[in-house]
Amino acid sequence: MKFIDIANPGVRQLSPYQAGKPIEELERELGISNIVKLASNENPFGFPESAKQAIREQLNDLTRYPDANGFELKLTIAQKFGLKPEQITLGNGSNDLLEITAHTFLNATDEVIFSQYTFIVYPLVSQAINAKAVIVPAKDYGHDLNGFLAAITEKTKVIYLANPNNPTGTFLTAEQIEAFLAQVPEHILVILDEAYTEFTSVNERVPSFNLLQKFPNLVVCRTLSKAYGLAGLRIGYMVSAPEVADLCNRVRQPFNCNSLALAAAVAVINDDDFIEKVADNNRQGLRQLETFFQQKGLDYVPSKGNFITLDLKQPAAPIYQKLLENGVIVRPIAGYGLPNHLRISIGLPEENQRFIDTLSLVLEL
Ligand SMILES: *Cc1c(COP(=O)(O)O)cnc(C)c1O
């Protein structure tokens, strides 16, 4: 029996997700310690004390199921951003929310549009239900919004847009997003994935929640995995028209967010000092790497995220391997169609320096 033959056709064509290499795995393989991981856009500061405290308190009650409605977290998010709790759907990380939107809205005959060189979870969640992916060629590594508009057909139901984009770090301005939304037919959902929005400066940030009133087909996804440092807990939230949230909340597993994650999220959502510290460090780290790349004449894609993509102009795999052997884990992105590139997450200054020194060694710069 070949189980591949009975699998859903969309699933048969999927390649497994390639996660960043865990530190423990490299330690086991090489028998070395002092490893720096700059591979999964994780927060180099860890997570804030406010969350630790909330988790400690919640540890006393893991017997009961979590609150299936996430009442307190939705209220906290709603108050923070001037929203209504009915507009919010909570997810086990925002990947869960991307999957929930696909399950809620897509059928096998529908089309979903996203860019070349964008987050791999979009094809993953839509292909698994046999929806047809329409991939718009990237422009300067980023989203070509006119290309998106041209790709719309009567079968289009969902558009995924990552802003800033992963893995390239490109960014669409508020004006570009608004002009785009104004041209997308109202019955097509635009899922704006803002996993990295906290790293952008306040004056350039897209006021996406304000756009919801004007564009009821807009859906905004956020995560606590990146700037808030809670990737291991798995928690994200999605803001939309209440009608969209109602449908998504029907599809979502009732207990998709665990009680530790809910409690920690309530504690960190208002921790603006932590986010500011994280975003500041990130801006400095980006500058540190950009300066190095410029000095050495290396090509990179300017980034608004907590990572930066380097074009090595040669196959990146052997260089990735040599970096590993020297205890530095970065992310090869051949799976995204960028075999000459590496994505480096921004770390603490000394971690960035370790990458700089190791890459200089490996490339003999
Ligand atoms: C990291 C990331 C996410 C968030 O994933 P979680 O499931 O919330 O950890 C979502 N979208 C993009 C583009 C990302 O890079």
Side-chain angles (χ1 to χ4, degrees):
M1 180 75 203
K2 281 216 201 107
F3 290 108
I4 186 105
D5 295 334
I6 60 167
N8 163 342
V11 173
R12 275 184 244 167
Q13 287 160 21
L14 282 176
S15 336
Y17 178 76
Q18 302 273 339
K21 196 176 190 66
I23 290 177
E24 296 73 20
E25 192 178 300
L26 189 62
E27 277 176 351
R28 276 198 305 274
E29 286 172 6
L30 298 181
I32 58 172
S33 55
N34 192 21
I35 287 166
V36 169
K37 183 184 177 201
L38 301 172
S40 300
N41 301 345
E42 293 150 345
N43 195 319
F45 289 105
F47 59 103
E49 194 51 46
S50 54
K52 276 182 202 158
Q53 184 60 31
I55 290 168
R56 265 186 231 114
E57 283 166 23
Q58 192 60 42
L59 271 179
N60 297 322
D61 192 10
L62 294 184
T63 301
R64 310 273 175 208
Y65 278 99
D67 174 7
N69 291 316
F71 175 82
E72 210 185 337
L73 179 55
K74 284 191 195 170
L75 193 64
T76 308
I77 293 168
Q79 283 172 347
K80 164 115 187 133
F81 298 110
L83 301 162
K84 296 195 210 90
E86 309 85 78
Q87 291 178 273
I88 300 170
T89 311
L90 300 177
N92 192 274
S94 56
N95 285 350
D96 185 31
L97 294 163
L98 298 169
E99 182 168 47
I100 289 169
T101 53
H103 278 295
T104 306
F105 293 102
L106 292 173
N107 293 299
T109 51
D110 298 330
E111 290 179 0
V112 43
I113 303 179
F114 49 83
S115 181
Q116 181 187 25
Y117 312 145
T118 195
F119 197 37
I120 231 144
V121 172
Y122 310 149
L124 200 152
V125 298
S126 44
Q127 237 175 280
I129 45 183
N130 292 319
K132 183 177 167 214
V134 176
I135 299 170
V136 178
K139 199 167 129 195
D140 300 329
Y141 292 103
H143 295 81
D144 174 8
L145 293 181
N146 287 329
F148 274 66
L149 291 172
I152 290 174
T153 73
E154 56 207 25
K155 290 186 176 165
T156 308
K157 266 208 191 150
V158 170
I159 293 173
Y160 287 107
L161 271 187
N163 197 45
N165 186 40
N166 177 20
T168 60
T170 56
F171 183 67
L172 299 163
T173 64
E175 293 72 31
Q176 288 172 309
I177 297 265
E178 190 164 352
F180 176 68
L181 288 168
Q183 292 174 80
V184 174
E186 252 180 32
H187 64 277
I188 298 173
L189 286 174
V190 178
I191 320 269
L192 183 62
D193 181 354
E194 295 193 320
Y196 301 98
T197 194
E198 294 85 2
F199 296 102
T200 60
S201 64
V202 176
N203 53 6
E204 71 188 346
R205 198 167 297 169
V206 178
S208 47
F209 296 152
N210 298 344
L211 294 174
L212 285 164
Q213 289 182 350
K214 201 161 158 194
F215 303 105
N217 56 334
L218 173 64
V219 177
V220 181
C221 275
R222 299 258 179 108
T223 181
L224 282 85
S225 294
K226 307 284 160 55
Y228 293 91
L230 294 174
L233 270 185
R234 315 302 303 128
I235 186 92
Y237 60 96
M238 184 164 83
V239 183
S240 64
E243 294 79 4
V244 171
D246 173 49
L247 289 163
C248 289
N249 273 300
R250 297 183 203 186
V251 173
R252 160 185 85 76
Q253 297 288 321
F255 304 110
N256 63 336
C257 302
N258 70 74
S259 37
L260 298 181
L262 290 171
V266 168
V268 298
I269 284 286
N270 285 305
D271 200 336
D272 294 337
D273 291 347
F274 181 76
I275 295 297
E276 204 172 310
K277 177 176 85 171
V278 166
D280 268 356
N281 175 74
N282 191 64
R283 274 187 279 275
Q284 286 170 35
L286 277 171
R287 230 175 291 136
Q288 189 182 1
L289 290 187
E290 283 173 351
T291 305
F292 163 68
F293 296 154
Q294 286 162 10
Q295 281 168 352
K296 301 295 178 182
L298 294 168
D299 249 12
Y300 63 93
V301 187
S303 171
K304 298 279 184 194
N306 65 342
F307 54 87
I308 189 159
T309 289
L310 180 60
D311 180 1
L312 291 162
K313 316 272 187 198
Q314 58 177 309
I319 293 160
Y320 164 70
Q321 196 56 40
K322 284 187 196 144
L323 288 169
L324 280 185
E325 286 158 16
N326 287 282
V328 175
I329 312 175
V330 296
R331 190 67 160 269
I333 47 175
Y336 285 88
L338 294 166
N340 289 350
H341 298 64
L342 290 174
R343 190 193 69 190
I344 301 102
S345 303
I346 305 301
L348 298 172
E350 57 273 24
E351 295 175 316
N352 303 332
Q353 194 56 48
R354 173 86 181 274
F355 164 75
I356 288 172
D357 294 343
T358 312
L359 187 72
S360 301
L361 185 81
V362 166
L363 293 180
E364 299 177 8
L365 295 172

PDB file of all heavy atoms in Angstrom, residues 47-62 228-235 258-268:
ATOM      1  N   PHE A  47      11.582  36.481  26.646  1.00  0.00           N
ATOM      2  CA  PHE A  47      10.260  37.079  26.811  1.00  0.00           C
ATOM      3  C   PHE A  47      10.207  37.849  28.116  1.00  0.00           C
ATOM      4  O   PHE A  47      10.993  37.611  29.033  1.00  0.00           O
ATOM      5  CB  PHE A  47       9.149  36.029  26.691  1.00  0.00           C
ATOM      6  CG  PHE A  47       9.216  34.899  27.678  1.00  0.00           C
ATOM      7  CD1 PHE A  47       8.366  34.879  28.770  1.00  0.00           C
ATOM      8  CD2 PHE A  47      10.102  33.851  27.508  1.00  0.00           C
ATOM      9  CE1 PHE A  47       8.400  33.832  29.676  1.00  0.00           C
ATOM     10  CE2 PHE A  47      10.146  32.802  28.408  1.00  0.00           C
ATOM     11  CZ  PHE A  47       9.301  32.791  29.493  1.00  0.00           C
ATOM     12  N   PRO A  48       9.303  38.821  28.218  1.00  0.00           N
ATOM     13  CA  PRO A  48       9.355  39.752  29.344  1.00  0.00           C
ATOM     14  C   PRO A  48       8.967  39.116  30.681  1.00  0.00           C
ATOM     15  O   PRO A  48       8.233  38.135  30.734  1.00  0.00           O
ATOM     16  CB  PRO A  48       8.362  40.839  28.955  1.00  0.00           C
ATOM     17  CG  PRO A  48       7.515  40.280  27.890  1.00  0.00           C
ATOM     18  CD  PRO A  48       8.278  39.189  27.227  1.00  0.00           C
ATOM     19  N   GLU A  49       9.473  39.722  31.718  1.00  0.00           N
ATOM     20  CA  GLU A  49       9.195  39.279  33.089  1.00  0.00           C
ATOM     21  C   GLU A  49       7.686  39.236  33.358  1.00  0.00           C
ATOM     22  O   GLU A  49       7.189  38.350  34.049  1.00  0.00           O
ATOM     23  CB  GLU A  49       9.897  40.246  34.057  1.00  0.00           C
ATOM     24  CG  GLU A  49      10.001  39.784  35.486  1.00  0.00           C
ATOM     25  CD  GLU A  49      10.595  38.373  35.625  1.00  0.00           C
ATOM     26  OE1 GLU A  49      11.624  38.079  34.973  1.00  0.00           O
ATOM     27  OE2 GLU A  49      10.005  37.582  36.381  1.00  0.00           O
ATOM     28  N   SER A  50       6.968  40.177  32.765  1.00  0.00           N
ATOM     29  CA  SER A  50       5.512  40.223  32.969  1.00  0.00           C
ATOM     30  C   SER A  50       4.872  38.891  32.560  1.00  0.00           C
ATOM     31  O   SER A  50       3.967  38.381  33.225  1.00  0.00           O
ATOM     32  CB  SER A  50       4.902  41.373  32.161  1.00  0.00           C
ATOM     33  OG  SER A  50       5.279  41.288  30.799  1.00  0.00           O
ATOM     34  N   ALA A  51       5.364  38.302  31.484  1.00  0.00           N
ATOM     35  CA  ALA A  51       4.803  37.029  31.012  1.00  0.00           C
ATOM     36  C   ALA A  51       5.206  35.889  31.945  1.00  0.00           C
ATOM     37  O   ALA A  51       4.409  34.997  32.235  1.00  0.00           O
ATOM     38  CB  ALA A  51       5.287  36.742  29.597  1.00  0.00           C
ATOM     39  N   LYS A  52       6.455  35.935  32.420  1.00  0.00           N
ATOM     40  CA  LYS A  52       6.930  34.867  33.324  1.00  0.00           C
ATOM     41  C   LYS A  52       6.043  34.802  34.561  1.00  0.00           C
ATOM     42  O   LYS A  52       5.633  33.726  34.999  1.00  0.00           O
ATOM     43  CB  LYS A  52       8.376  35.122  33.741  1.00  0.00           C
ATOM     44  CG  LYS A  52       9.336  34.606  32.719  1.00  0.00           C
ATOM     45  CD  LYS A  52      10.787  34.796  33.102  1.00  0.00           C
ATOM     46  CE  LYS A  52      11.576  34.746  31.799  1.00  0.00           C
ATOM     47  NZ  LYS A  52      12.862  35.368  31.854  1.00  0.00           N
ATOM     48  N   GLN A  53       5.757  35.946  35.106  1.00  0.00           N
ATOM     49  CA  GLN A  53       4.922  36.032  36.298  1.00  0.00           C
ATOM     50  C   GLN A  53       3.528  35.439  36.030  1.00  0.00           C
ATOM     51  O   GLN A  53       3.019  34.628  36.807  1.00  0.00           O
ATOM     52  CB  GLN A  53       4.826  37.513  36.703  1.00  0.00           C
ATOM     53  CG  GLN A  53       4.074  37.775  37.983  1.00  0.00           C
ATOM     54  CD  GLN A  53       4.727  37.085  39.169  1.00  0.00           C
ATOM     55  OE1 GLN A  53       5.945  36.915  39.205  1.00  0.00           O
ATOM     56  NE2 GLN A  53       3.912  36.649  40.118  1.00  0.00           N
ATOM     57  N   ALA A  54       2.950  35.812  34.919  1.00  0.00           N
ATOM     58  CA  ALA A  54       1.604  35.324  34.573  1.00  0.00           C
ATOM     59  C   ALA A  54       1.606  33.808  34.384  1.00  0.00           C
ATOM     60  O   ALA A  54       0.678  33.109  34.795  1.00  0.00           O
ATOM     61  CB  ALA A  54       1.113  36.016  33.307  1.00  0.00           C
ATOM     62  N   ILE A  55       2.674  33.289  33.790  1.00  0.00           N
ATOM     63  CA  ILE A  55       2.770  31.841  33.559  1.00  0.00           C
ATOM     64  C   ILE A  55       2.904  31.113  34.887  1.00  0.00           C
ATOM     65  O   ILE A  55       2.250  30.091  35.115  1.00  0.00           O
ATOM     66  CB  ILE A  55       3.949  31.522  32.616  1.00  0.00           C
ATOM     67  CG1 ILE A  55       3.639  32.019  31.203  1.00  0.00           C
ATOM     68  CG2 ILE A  55       4.250  30.027  32.593  1.00  0.00           C
ATOM     69  CD1 ILE A  55       4.814  32.018  30.262  1.00  0.00           C
ATOM     70  N   ARG A  56       3.723  31.659  35.784  1.00  0.00           N
ATOM     71  CA  ARG A  56       3.902  31.041  37.105  1.00  0.00           C
ATOM     72  C   ARG A  56       2.557  30.921  37.813  1.00  0.00           C
ATOM     73  O   ARG A  56       2.229  29.903  38.380  1.00  0.00           O
ATOM     74  CB  ARG A  56       4.869  31.869  37.953  1.00  0.00           C
ATOM     75  CG  ARG A  56       6.291  31.369  37.866  1.00  0.00           C
ATOM     76  CD  ARG A  56       7.184  32.131  38.838  1.00  0.00           C
ATOM     77  NE  ARG A  56       8.343  32.624  38.126  1.00  0.00           N
ATOM     78  CZ  ARG A  56       8.623  33.903  37.903  1.00  0.00           C
ATOM     79  NH1 ARG A  56       7.832  34.854  38.355  1.00  0.00           N
ATOM     80  NH2 ARG A  56       9.694  34.233  37.232  1.00  0.00           N
ATOM     81  N   GLU A  57       1.779  31.980  37.747  1.00  0.00           N
ATOM     82  CA  GLU A  57       0.478  31.949  38.418  1.00  0.00           C
ATOM     83  C   GLU A  57      -0.458  30.937  37.758  1.00  0.00           C
ATOM     84  O   GLU A  57      -1.148  30.176  38.433  1.00  0.00           O
ATOM     85  CB  GLU A  57      -0.163  33.346  38.405  1.00  0.00           C
ATOM     86  CG  GLU A  57       0.481  34.254  39.436  1.00  0.00           C
ATOM     87  CD  GLU A  57       0.133  35.725  39.226  1.00  0.00           C
ATOM     88  OE1 GLU A  57      -0.900  36.010  38.593  1.00  0.00           O
ATOM     89  OE2 GLU A  57       0.926  36.571  39.690  1.00  0.00           O
ATOM     90  N   GLN A  58      -0.428  30.900  36.440  1.00  0.00           N
ATOM     91  CA  GLN A  58      -1.336  30.006  35.707  1.00  0.00           C
ATOM     92  C   GLN A  58      -0.956  28.536  35.883  1.00  0.00           C
ATOM     93  O   GLN A  58      -1.796  27.653  35.729  1.00  0.00           O
ATOM     94  CB  GLN A  58      -1.320  30.399  34.224  1.00  0.00           C
ATOM     95  CG  GLN A  58      -2.405  29.764  33.390  1.00  0.00           C
ATOM     96  CD  GLN A  58      -3.804  30.117  33.868  1.00  0.00           C
ATOM     97  OE1 GLN A  58      -4.077  31.255  34.212  1.00  0.00           O
ATOM     98  NE2 GLN A  58      -4.681  29.120  33.941  1.00  0.00           N
ATOM     99  N   LEU A  59       0.303  28.281  36.238  1.00  0.00           N
ATOM    100  CA  LEU A  59       0.774  26.896  36.401  1.00  0.00           C
ATOM    101  C   LEU A  59      -0.025  26.144  37.459  1.00  0.00           C
ATOM    102  O   LEU A  59      -0.086  24.916  37.446  1.00  0.00           O
ATOM    103  CB  LEU A  59       2.251  26.889  36.808  1.00  0.00           C
ATOM    104  CG  LEU A  59       3.255  26.880  35.681  1.00  0.00           C
ATOM    105  CD1 LEU A  59       4.670  26.905  36.249  1.00  0.00           C
ATOM    106  CD2 LEU A  59       3.081  25.655  34.794  1.00  0.00           C
ATOM    107  N   ASN A  60      -0.628  26.884  38.374  1.00  0.00           N
ATOM    108  CA  ASN A  60      -1.405  26.230  39.417  1.00  0.00           C
ATOM    109  C   ASN A  60      -2.732  25.690  38.913  1.00  0.00           C
ATOM    110  O   ASN A  60      -3.426  24.988  39.631  1.00  0.00           O
ATOM    111  CB  ASN A  60      -1.667  27.216  40.567  1.00  0.00           C
ATOM    112  CG  ASN A  60      -0.376  27.633  41.216  1.00  0.00           C
ATOM    113  OD1 ASN A  60       0.523  26.806  41.367  1.00  0.00           O
ATOM    114  ND2 ASN A  60      -0.265  28.900  41.563  1.00  0.00           N
ATOM    115  N   ASP A  61      -3.091  26.040  37.704  1.00  0.00           N
ATOM    116  CA  ASP A  61      -4.374  25.552  37.209  1.00  0.00           C
ATOM    117  C   ASP A  61      -4.278  25.059  35.768  1.00  0.00           C
ATOM    118  O   ASP A  61      -4.774  25.675  34.839  1.00  0.00           O
ATOM    119  CB  ASP A  61      -5.442  26.647  37.324  1.00  0.00           C
ATOM    120  CG  ASP A  61      -6.832  26.061  37.101  1.00  0.00           C
ATOM    121  OD1 ASP A  61      -6.955  24.821  37.058  1.00  0.00           O
ATOM    122  OD2 ASP A  61      -7.789  26.839  36.966  1.00  0.00           O
ATOM    123  N   LEU A  62      -3.622  23.907  35.610  1.00  0.00           N
ATOM    124  CA  LEU A  62      -3.567  23.305  34.281  1.00  0.00           C
ATOM    125  C   LEU A  62      -4.555  22.140  34.170  1.00  0.00           C
ATOM    126  O   LEU A  62      -4.589  21.443  33.158  1.00  0.00           O
ATOM    127  CB  LEU A  62      -2.141  22.836  33.959  1.00  0.00           C
ATOM    128  CG  LEU A  62      -1.100  23.953  33.817  1.00  0.00           C
ATOM    129  CD1 LEU A  62       0.247  23.383  33.409  1.00  0.00           C
ATOM    130  CD2 LEU A  62      -1.545  25.013  32.811  1.00  0.00           C
ATOM    131  N   TYR A 228       7.169  39.932  20.751  1.00  0.00           N
ATOM    132  CA  TYR A 228       6.797  39.656  22.144  1.00  0.00           C
ATOM    133  C   TYR A 228       7.570  38.464  22.728  1.00  0.00           C
ATOM    134  O   TYR A 228       7.459  38.183  23.923  1.00  0.00           O
ATOM    135  CB  TYR A 228       5.291  39.394  22.254  1.00  0.00           C
ATOM    136  CG  TYR A 228       4.434  40.608  21.968  1.00  0.00           C
ATOM    137  CD1 TYR A 228       3.978  40.870  20.672  1.00  0.00           C
ATOM    138  CD2 TYR A 228       4.087  41.497  22.975  1.00  0.00           C
ATOM    139  CE1 TYR A 228       3.182  41.971  20.398  1.00  0.00           C
ATOM    140  CE2 TYR A 228       3.294  42.608  22.715  1.00  0.00           C
ATOM    141  CZ  TYR A 228       2.847  42.843  21.421  1.00  0.00           C
ATOM    142  OH  TYR A 228       2.060  43.940  21.156  1.00  0.00           O
ATOM    143  N   GLY A 229       8.293  37.746  21.878  1.00  0.00           N
ATOM    144  CA  GLY A 229       9.187  36.695  22.379  1.00  0.00           C
ATOM    145  C   GLY A 229       8.500  35.439  22.873  1.00  0.00           C
ATOM    146  O   GLY A 229       9.059  34.713  23.692  1.00  0.00           O
ATOM    147  N   LEU A 230       7.305  35.138  22.389  1.00  0.00           N
ATOM    148  CA  LEU A 230       6.579  33.979  22.912  1.00  0.00           C
ATOM    149  C   LEU A 230       6.393  32.867  21.866  1.00  0.00           C
ATOM    150  O   LEU A 230       5.384  32.159  21.883  1.00  0.00           O
ATOM    151  CB  LEU A 230       5.206  34.418  23.443  1.00  0.00           C
ATOM    152  CG  LEU A 230       5.218  35.337  24.677  1.00  0.00           C
ATOM    153  CD1 LEU A 230       3.798  35.806  25.004  1.00  0.00           C
ATOM    154  CD2 LEU A 230       5.809  34.611  25.878  1.00  0.00           C
ATOM    155  N   ALA A 231       7.384  32.688  20.987  1.00  0.00           N
ATOM    156  CA  ALA A 231       7.231  31.705  19.898  1.00  0.00           C
ATOM    157  C   ALA A 231       6.929  30.301  20.418  1.00  0.00           C
ATOM    158  O   ALA A 231       6.166  29.553  19.818  1.00  0.00           O
ATOM    159  CB  ALA A 231       8.490  31.688  19.025  1.00  0.00           C
ATOM    160  N   GLY A 232       7.525  29.943  21.552  1.00  0.00           N
ATOM    161  CA  GLY A 232       7.336  28.596  22.078  1.00  0.00           C
ATOM    162  C   GLY A 232       5.950  28.352  22.658  1.00  0.00           C
ATOM    163  O   GLY A 232       5.522  27.207  22.784  1.00  0.00           O
ATOM    164  N   LEU A 233       5.253  29.411  23.007  1.00  0.00           N
ATOM    165  CA  LEU A 233       3.923  29.241  23.613  1.00  0.00           C
ATOM    166  C   LEU A 233       2.823  29.085  22.584  1.00  0.00           C
ATOM    167  O   LEU A 233       1.781  28.535  22.873  1.00  0.00           O
ATOM    168  CB  LEU A 233       3.591  30.438  24.508  1.00  0.00           C
ATOM    169  CG  LEU A 233       3.984  30.373  25.970  1.00  0.00           C
ATOM    170  CD1 LEU A 233       3.442  31.604  26.680  1.00  0.00           C
ATOM    171  CD2 LEU A 233       3.455  29.131  26.649  1.00  0.00           C
ATOM    172  N   ARG A 234       3.021  29.633  21.391  1.00  0.00           N
ATOM    173  CA  ARG A 234       2.070  29.573  20.288  1.00  0.00           C
ATOM    174  C   ARG A 234       0.818  30.402  20.558  1.00  0.00           C
ATOM    175  O   ARG A 234      -0.194  29.884  21.043  1.00  0.00           O
ATOM    176  CB  ARG A 234       1.663  28.107  19.952  1.00  0.00           C
ATOM    177  CG  ARG A 234       2.777  27.093  19.892  1.00  0.00           C
ATOM    178  CD  ARG A 234       3.848  27.432  18.891  1.00  0.00           C
ATOM    179  NE  ARG A 234       3.305  27.601  17.549  1.00  0.00           N
ATOM    180  CZ  ARG A 234       3.535  28.680  16.803  1.00  0.00           C
ATOM    181  NH1 ARG A 234       4.317  29.662  17.228  1.00  0.00           N
ATOM    182  NH2 ARG A 234       3.008  28.776  15.604  1.00  0.00           N
ATOM    183  N   ILE A 235       0.879  31.674  20.242  1.00  0.00           N
ATOM    184  CA  ILE A 235      -0.318  32.504  20.369  1.00  0.00           C
ATOM    185  C   ILE A 235      -0.283  33.660  19.368  1.00  0.00           C
ATOM    186  O   ILE A 235       0.745  34.292  19.175  1.00  0.00           O
ATOM    187  CB  ILE A 235      -0.517  33.004  21.833  1.00  0.00           C
ATOM    188  CG1 ILE A 235      -1.833  33.755  22.016  1.00  0.00           C
ATOM    189  CG2 ILE A 235       0.647  33.848  22.328  1.00  0.00           C
ATOM    190  CD1 ILE A 235      -2.962  32.903  22.458  1.00  0.00           C
ATOM    191  N   ASN A 258      -3.729  27.482  24.531  1.00  0.00           N
ATOM    192  CA  ASN A 258      -3.633  26.897  25.871  1.00  0.00           C
ATOM    193  C   ASN A 258      -3.626  27.977  26.952  1.00  0.00           C
ATOM    194  O   ASN A 258      -3.392  29.164  26.690  1.00  0.00           O
ATOM    195  CB  ASN A 258      -2.403  25.983  25.966  1.00  0.00           C
ATOM    196  CG  ASN A 258      -1.123  26.763  25.951  1.00  0.00           C
ATOM    197  OD1 ASN A 258      -0.765  27.405  26.931  1.00  0.00           O
ATOM    198  ND2 ASN A 258      -0.426  26.723  24.822  1.00  0.00           N
ATOM    199  N   SER A 259      -3.865  27.556  28.182  1.00  0.00           N
ATOM    200  CA  SER A 259      -4.069  28.550  29.242  1.00  0.00           C
ATOM    201  C   SER A 259      -2.798  29.317  29.605  1.00  0.00           C
ATOM    202  O   SER A 259      -2.864  30.480  29.994  1.00  0.00           O
ATOM    203  CB  SER A 259      -4.690  27.906  30.487  1.00  0.00           C
ATOM    204  OG  SER A 259      -4.184  26.630  30.691  1.00  0.00           O
ATOM    205  N   LEU A 260      -1.633  28.690  29.453  1.00  0.00           N
ATOM    206  CA  LEU A 260      -0.391  29.432  29.733  1.00  0.00           C
ATOM    207  C   LEU A 260      -0.198  30.545  28.699  1.00  0.00           C
ATOM    208  O   LEU A 260       0.183  31.671  29.020  1.00  0.00           O
ATOM    209  CB  LEU A 260       0.819  28.491  29.702  1.00  0.00           C
ATOM    210  CG  LEU A 260       0.851  27.363  30.731  1.00  0.00           C
ATOM    211  CD1 LEU A 260       2.121  26.547  30.564  1.00  0.00           C
ATOM    212  CD2 LEU A 260       0.745  27.901  32.148  1.00  0.00           C
ATOM    213  N   ALA A 261      -0.468  30.196  27.450  1.00  0.00           N
ATOM    214  CA  ALA A 261      -0.314  31.178  26.378  1.00  0.00           C
ATOM    215  C   ALA A 261      -1.298  32.328  26.555  1.00  0.00           C
ATOM    216  O   ALA A 261      -0.936  33.506  26.393  1.00  0.00           O
ATOM    217  CB  ALA A 261      -0.534  30.502  25.023  1.00  0.00           C
ATOM    218  N   LEU A 262      -2.525  32.007  26.892  1.00  0.00           N
ATOM    219  CA  LEU A 262      -3.538  33.057  27.086  1.00  0.00           C
ATOM    220  C   LEU A 262      -3.113  34.006  28.207  1.00  0.00           C
ATOM    221  O   LEU A 262      -3.161  35.231  28.059  1.00  0.00           O
ATOM    222  CB  LEU A 262      -4.905  32.438  27.417  1.00  0.00           C
ATOM    223  CG  LEU A 262      -5.607  31.696  26.269  1.00  0.00           C
ATOM    224  CD1 LEU A 262      -6.836  30.937  26.792  1.00  0.00           C
ATOM    225  CD2 LEU A 262      -6.014  32.655  25.152  1.00  0.00           C
ATOM    226  N   ALA A 263      -2.673  33.425  29.331  1.00  0.00           N
ATOM    227  CA  ALA A 263      -2.294  34.249  30.485  1.00  0.00           C
ATOM    228  C   ALA A 263      -1.083  35.116  30.161  1.00  0.00           C
ATOM    229  O   ALA A 263      -1.043  36.318  30.468  1.00  0.00           O
ATOM    230  CB  ALA A 263      -1.997  33.353  31.691  1.00  0.00           C
ATOM    231  N   ALA A 264      -0.085  34.519  29.509  1.00  0.00           N
ATOM    232  CA  ALA A 264       1.125  35.279  29.176  1.00  0.00           C
ATOM    233  C   ALA A 264       0.799  36.402  28.203  1.00  0.00           C
ATOM    234  O   ALA A 264       1.312  37.520  28.324  1.00  0.00           O
ATOM    235  CB  ALA A 264       2.174  34.342  28.572  1.00  0.00           C
ATOM    236  N   ALA A 265      -0.061  36.118  27.249  1.00  0.00           N
ATOM    237  CA  ALA A 265      -0.402  37.128  26.243  1.00  0.00           C
ATOM    238  C   ALA A 265      -1.104  38.325  26.879  1.00  0.00           C
ATOM    239  O   ALA A 265      -0.819  39.475  26.538  1.00  0.00           O
ATOM    240  CB  ALA A 265      -1.263  36.511  25.148  1.00  0.00           C
ATOM    241  N   VAL A 266      -2.004  38.052  27.808  1.00  0.00           N
ATOM    242  CA  VAL A 266      -2.686  39.155  28.507  1.00  0.00           C
ATOM    243  C   VAL A 266      -1.638  40.058  29.164  1.00  0.00           C
ATOM    244  O   VAL A 266      -1.724  41.285  29.111  1.00  0.00           O
ATOM    245  CB  VAL A 266      -3.678  38.606  29.567  1.00  0.00           C
ATOM    246  CG1 VAL A 266      -4.153  39.723  30.492  1.00  0.00           C
ATOM    247  CG2 VAL A 266      -4.859  37.938  28.882  1.00  0.00           C
ATOM    248  N   ALA A 267      -0.621  39.428  29.745  1.00  0.00           N
ATOM    249  CA  ALA A 267       0.390  40.200  30.470  1.00  0.00           C
ATOM    250  C   ALA A 267       1.280  41.015  29.538  1.00  0.00           C
ATOM    251  O   ALA A 267       1.690  42.127  29.890  1.00  0.00           O
ATOM    252  CB  ALA A 267       1.239  39.260  31.325  1.00  0.00           C
ATOM    253  N   VAL A 268       1.586  40.515  28.360  1.00  0.00           N
ATOM    254  CA  VAL A 268       2.582  41.220  27.523  1.00  0.00           C
ATOM    255  C   VAL A 268       1.991  42.223  26.544  1.00  0.00           C
ATOM    256  O   VAL A 268       2.700  43.115  26.082  1.00  0.00           O
ATOM    257  CB  VAL A 268       3.492  40.255  26.706  1.00  0.00           C
ATOM    258  CG1 VAL A 268       4.291  39.371  27.631  1.00  0.00           C
ATOM    259  CG2 VAL A 268       2.704  39.448  25.706  1.00  0.00           C
TER     260      VAL A 268
END
